[in-house]
């Protein structure tokens, strides 16, 4: 198999390694992946490289959920996985000093090709692009920090035309107080000894969002230690654009029956099991008359909330029906059972004819019996958290992400988690580790520990049904749906090239912050 790319000829020729391999193909240990590979590789190597990188990206996701980026545990575990993946390239690997130029070349080639293979696999839908963009950006950020600690970043910036000129000493002295108080707790001496770069605020949205930079007339003053944020934003923007371009070119591969099955298989693995395939569930099949009891024991809070709202109001809006209906499909309800379940509730506030005309079609559609007859899969945690945010009157979404923190604490307190457990969960919520907060809730209520972070509501359900005895005291108290206060949000349609990674503050708010600085 051969990858092709027209930009190869633009590289400057450099010395040739043994075996005729050009050093100029990979001048830096870190890459922006601008130039497609032109190697001949077998299908076996194609698949092997993709799977290896996919394992790393899934670890990046898991560690990002489980630990803080700055924590010692995060750095140690990330270092271990990177050392396993690129043993002769990763700067912190104790064996890298013994590596030869050929060893490093092989790792650079592996890094380069595996990235482009997964780019092909993960450009196929918005969800896939978003996930791939998140993990690759964090992987790049961590590797950049490591390279910077090893003082190997200057040539990388030069080769990628990333030039940032430090501000002069006079300007630094003029704004000394502002720079000192910009969020890093630096002394005057530390500010004067540090390099500061002046860039347009749009290049530092992450830092503006967290209020860690001094803003003046639309410019952000960035300390050297925060340069990684700027470079990562450049990487993210370029990769987002590249994914959109790749998605448009993907139809040219439709006739290649060698690649498409492999790419499809890779793209299905990013969130683990999709729960589209029915299987035997621990504890036996759930019947309709058991759903109320099972929901209190084995449903995650997001689905428990939807169930309680349905029982109380006998209706859910479209977003809630989709999220909850596909979850029920995933736990084993057949089409006939789902129709009976929803019909029983809805006809309490409407006649049967209205239900059949306005709602039954949507249920059959989810099971692939109407429309384009696609067999829709239950929503993953990532999809629930990052898309289709709830509006007024909605009760779908992620309980930990979309519920007002004060009310969330009240709701969690009803489950008698204990002060330590409650504080730990709320701390995780504050740090935006929503999946880990859900996992910790499961551990406390089921008297277990050491679980990997959940990435799917149906995974929560299956783990609960495996036989653990949950701590259910307090679960029958006031329903979670009472008094739930949603965050004020507005849905924004985004292009493939401008996918938002963190939507806590939108670009309009950032513009107002910068202009008022």
């Amino acid at each position: 198999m051969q990858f092709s790319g027209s930009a190869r000829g633009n590289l400057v020729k450099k010395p040739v390694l043994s075996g005729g391999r050009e050093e100029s193909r990979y001048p830096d240990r870190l890459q922006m992946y601008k130039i497609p590979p032109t190697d001949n590789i077998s299908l076996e190597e194609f698949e092997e490289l993709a799977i290896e990188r996919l394992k790393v990206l899934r670890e990046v996701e898991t560690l990002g959920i489980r630990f803080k980026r700055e924590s010692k545990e995060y750095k140690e575990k990330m270092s271990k996985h990177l050392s396993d993946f690129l043993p002769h390239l990763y700067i912190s690997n104790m064996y890298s000093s013994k590596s030869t130029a050929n060893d490093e070349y092989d790792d650079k080639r592996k890094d380069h090709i595996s990235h482009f293979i997964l780019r092909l696999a993960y450009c196929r839908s918005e969800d896939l692009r978003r996930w791939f963009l998140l993990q690759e950006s964090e992987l790049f950020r961590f590797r950049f920090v490591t390279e910077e600690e090893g003082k190997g970043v200057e040539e990388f910036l030069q080769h990628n035309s990333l030039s940032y000129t430090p501000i002069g000493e006079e300007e630094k002295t003029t704004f000394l107080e502002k720079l000192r108080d910009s969020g890093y707790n630096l002394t005057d001496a530390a500010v004067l000894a540090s390099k500061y770069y002046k860039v347009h605020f749009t290049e530092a949205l992450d830092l503006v969002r967290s209020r860690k930079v001094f803003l003046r007339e639309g410019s952000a003053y960035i300390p050297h230690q925060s340069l990684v944020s700027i470079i990562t934003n450049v990487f993210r923007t370029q990769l987002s654009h590249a994914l959109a371009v790749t998605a448009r070119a993907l139809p040219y591969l439709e006739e290649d029956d060698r690649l498409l099955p492999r790419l499809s298989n890779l793209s299905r693995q990013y969130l683990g099991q999709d729960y589209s395939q029915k299987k035997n569930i621990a504890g036996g099949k759930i019947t309709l008359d058991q759903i109320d009891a099972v929901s209190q024991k084995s449903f995650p809070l997001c689905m428990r909330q939807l169930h309680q709202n349905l029982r109380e109001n006998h209706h859910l809006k479209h977003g809630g029906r989709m999220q909850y209906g596909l979850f029920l499909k995933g736990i084993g309800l057949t089409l006939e059972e789902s129709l009976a379940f929803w019909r029983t509730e809805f006809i309490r506030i409407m006649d049967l004819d209205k239900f059949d005309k306005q709602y039954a079609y949507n249920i059959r559609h989810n099971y692939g019996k109407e429309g384009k007859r696609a067999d829709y899969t239950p929503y993953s945690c990532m999809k629930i958290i990052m898309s289709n945010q709830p509006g007024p009157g909605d009760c779908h979404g992620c309980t930990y992400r979309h519920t007002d923190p004060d009310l969330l604490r009240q709701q969690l307190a009803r489950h008698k988690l204990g002060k330590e457990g409650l504080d730990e969960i709320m701390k995780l919520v504050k740090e935006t580790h929503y999946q880990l907060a859900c996992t910790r809730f499961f551990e406390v209520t089921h008297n277990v520990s050491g679980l990997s972070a959940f990435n799917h509501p149906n995974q929560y359900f299956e783990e609960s049904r495996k036989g653990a005895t949950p701590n259910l005291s307090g679960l029958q108290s006031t329903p979670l749906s009472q008094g739930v206060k949603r965050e004020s949000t507005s849905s924004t349609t985004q292009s493939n090239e401008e996918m938002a990674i963190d939507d806590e503050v939108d670009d309009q708010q950032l513009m107002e912050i910068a202009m008022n600085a």
Side-chain angles (χ1 to χ4, degrees):
M1 164 161 297
Q2 183 176 23
F3 291 99
S4 62
S6 59
R8 183 183 177 186
N10 296 330
L11 293 171
V12 178
K13 293 293 183 181
K14 289 189 177 181
V16 177
L17 303 173
S18 63
R21 295 176 290 185
E22 296 172 7
E23 185 182 359
S24 62
R25 297 184 66 182
Y26 310 112
D28 304 301
R29 302 160 65 91
L30 195 61
Q31 303 185 50
M32 296 291 279
Y33 308 108
K34 294 180 179 180
I35 304 173
T38 56
D39 293 55
N40 291 308
I41 66 172
S42 66
L43 287 174
E44 290 73 17
E45 185 182 11
F46 178 95
E47 196 161 20
E48 180 182 342
L49 293 178
I51 291 175
E52 283 192 55
R53 192 179 192 92
L54 182 57
K55 289 179 180 177
V56 173
L57 295 187
R58 293 189 66 179
E59 286 298 330
V60 170
E61 178 187 36
T62 300
L63 295 177
I65 294 171
R66 174 77 54 182
F67 304 107
K68 286 184 177 180
R69 284 180 179 178
E70 298 80 12
S71 68
K72 179 181 178 181
E73 295 88 347
Y74 181 83
K75 293 178 180 178
E76 288 178 350
K77 292 181 181 296
M78 280 286 287
S79 295
K80 178 184 182 303
H81 288 296
L82 276 176
S83 295
D84 291 341
F85 180 54
L86 303 171
H88 303 291
L89 189 60
Y90 185 53
I91 194 75
S92 292
N93 188 347
M94 62 180 293
Y95 298 108
S96 61
S97 60
K98 303 177 183 178
S99 301
T100 66
N102 283 326
D103 290 332
E104 289 197 8
Y105 177 93
D106 289 338
D107 272 6
K108 290 174 182 177
R109 173 182 178 274
K110 176 181 179 180
D111 176 36
H112 192 230
I113 294 178
S114 64
H115 168 87
F116 276 91
I117 294 174
L118 290 193
R119 186 187 290 188
L120 279 175
Y122 285 83
C123 71
R124 300 159 67 83
S125 71
E126 183 179 349
D127 282 345
L128 293 173
R129 288 190 293 271
R130 181 185 292 115
W131 183 86
F132 182 70
L133 188 60
L134 276 169
Q135 313 320 322
E136 282 285 346
S137 297
E138 172 54 18
L139 178 61
F140 176 87
R141 185 201 68 82
F142 186 84
R143 291 181 62 190
F144 184 89
V145 170
T146 305
E147 289 289 336
E148 191 171 32
E149 291 173 352
K151 309 302 181 184
V153 74
E154 295 299 329
E155 287 191 0
F156 167 80
L157 296 179
Q158 181 181 354
H159 291 156
N160 289 280
S161 301
L162 298 172
S163 176
Y164 298 96
T165 305
I167 63 174
E169 293 300 321
E170 182 180 349
E171 189 172 8
K172 191 189 300 183
T173 303
T174 302
F175 301 114
L176 178 61
E177 182 180 352
K178 297 291 187 182
L179 297 175
R180 182 193 64 205
D181 299 333
S182 61
Y184 291 91
N185 298 319
L186 299 177
T187 63
D188 289 351
V191 171
L192 293 173
S194 300
K195 290 182 180 179
Y196 277 81
Y197 307 88
K198 185 165 68 173
V199 302
H200 194 270
F201 82 97
T202 54
E203 295 186 58
L205 294 182
D206 288 345
L207 298 175
V208 174
R209 181 179 292 115
S210 57
R211 292 172 171 80
K212 288 187 175 181
V213 289
F214 166 51
L215 291 175
R216 181 176 181 271
E217 297 179 350
S219 294
Y221 288 72
I222 310 298
H224 179 76
Q225 60 265 35
S226 295
L227 189 62
V228 60
S229 179
I230 307 299
I231 306 303
T232 303
N233 280 339
V234 173
F235 175 84
R236 182 188 300 133
T237 301
Q238 292 183 2
L239 179 56
S240 179
H241 174 76
L243 284 168
V245 172
T246 306
R248 290 196 292 270
L250 196 62
Y252 293 104
L253 290 177
E254 287 184 352
E255 296 181 1
D256 194 331
D257 57 4
R258 302 169 303 162
L259 280 184
L260 280 185
R262 288 173 168 82
L263 294 176
S264 298
N265 182 56
L266 287 170
S267 64
R268 284 196 296 268
Q269 296 183 43
Y270 85 109
L271 286 176
Q273 185 178 338
D274 61 10
Y275 296 93
S276 61
Q277 301 298 320
K278 304 300 182 294
K279 62 179 183 179
N280 295 328
I281 298 175
K285 177 175 170 55
I286 304 300
T287 60
L288 292 181
D289 59 350
Q290 294 176 323
I291 289 182
D292 284 332
V294 171
S295 69
Q296 293 294 304
K297 298 178 181 180
S298 300
F299 282 14
L301 289 184
C302 57
M303 300 305 171
R304 194 178 307 177
Q305 180 169 281
L306 285 164
H307 181 78
Q308 290 172 344
N309 272 271
L310 178 62
R311 289 304 198 199
E312 292 168 7
N313 303 317
H314 314 298
H315 187 270
L316 290 177
K317 288 190 173 182
H318 178 74
R321 295 197 306 272
M322 289 295 294
Q323 182 174 319
Y324 189 44
L326 290 173
F327 171 79
L328 293 176
K329 175 186 175 184
I331 71 173
L333 261 64
T334 64
L335 171 59
E336 292 72 22
E337 290 172 329
S338 288
L339 284 169
F341 173 78
W342 292 99
R343 183 188 301 115
T344 300
E345 288 299 323
F346 275 50
I347 62 174
R348 297 188 183 189
I349 60 171
M350 66 181 67
D351 58 46
L352 179 60
D353 186 58
K354 181 177 181 180
F355 172 83
D356 288 339
K357 289 181 178 179
Q358 298 186 16
Y359 299 98
Y361 176 90
N362 179 247
I363 298 170
R364 293 194 300 270
H365 189 271
N366 285 346
Y367 280 79
K369 302 301 181 183
E370 300 285 357
K372 62 179 182 181
R373 302 187 181 279
D375 190 15
Y376 291 92
T377 61
Y379 289 175
S380 67
C381 291
M382 183 68 72
K383 183 176 180 66
I384 292 172
I385 290 170
M386 299 192 68
S387 64
N388 192 26
Q389 296 197 27
D394 286 327
C395 56
H396 65 274
C398 172
T399 305
Y400 304 94
R401 168 67 178 86
H402 298 117
T403 304
D404 177 81
D406 292 334
L407 288 176
L408 176 61
R409 176 176 283 275
Q410 294 177 23
Q411 295 167 16
L412 292 174
R414 301 186 186 113
H415 300 292
K416 299 183 179 180
L417 304 172
K419 185 179 185 307
E420 183 180 352
L422 178 59
D423 289 344
E424 185 178 355
I425 292 172
M426 291 305 301
K427 183 174 183 291
L428 291 169
V429 171
K430 183 179 180 180
E431 295 169 352
T432 70
H433 297 316
Y434 308 117
Q435 292 165 258
L436 190 54
C438 182
T439 305
R440 186 63 189 137
F441 177 84
F442 181 98
E443 291 177 338
V444 174
T445 56
H446 288 71
N447 298 316
V448 296
S449 61
L451 295 177
S452 297
F454 290 137
N455 55 35
H456 206 292
N458 291 80
Q459 181 187 2
Y460 183 111
F461 172 79
E462 290 192 356
E463 286 294 328
S464 179
R465 294 289 290 172
K466 285 182 178 178
T469 304
N471 172 17
L472 296 176
S473 57
L475 292 188
Q476 300 294 335
S477 54
T478 306
L480 290 174
S481 58
Q482 291 187 7
V484 172
K485 177 182 176 182
R486 296 291 183 185
E487 294 180 358
S488 176
T489 59
S490 59
S491 299
T492 303
T493 302
Q494 298 169 313
S495 70
N496 293 334
E497 301 179 15
E498 298 174 331
M499 292 179 286
I501 301 304
D502 184 348
D503 56 8
E504 292 289 341
V505 181
D506 61 25
D507 289 346
Q508 182 61 39
Q509 290 172 301
L510 291 174
M511 181 72 76
E512 293 172 0
I513 292 172
M515 292 301 115
N516 293 331

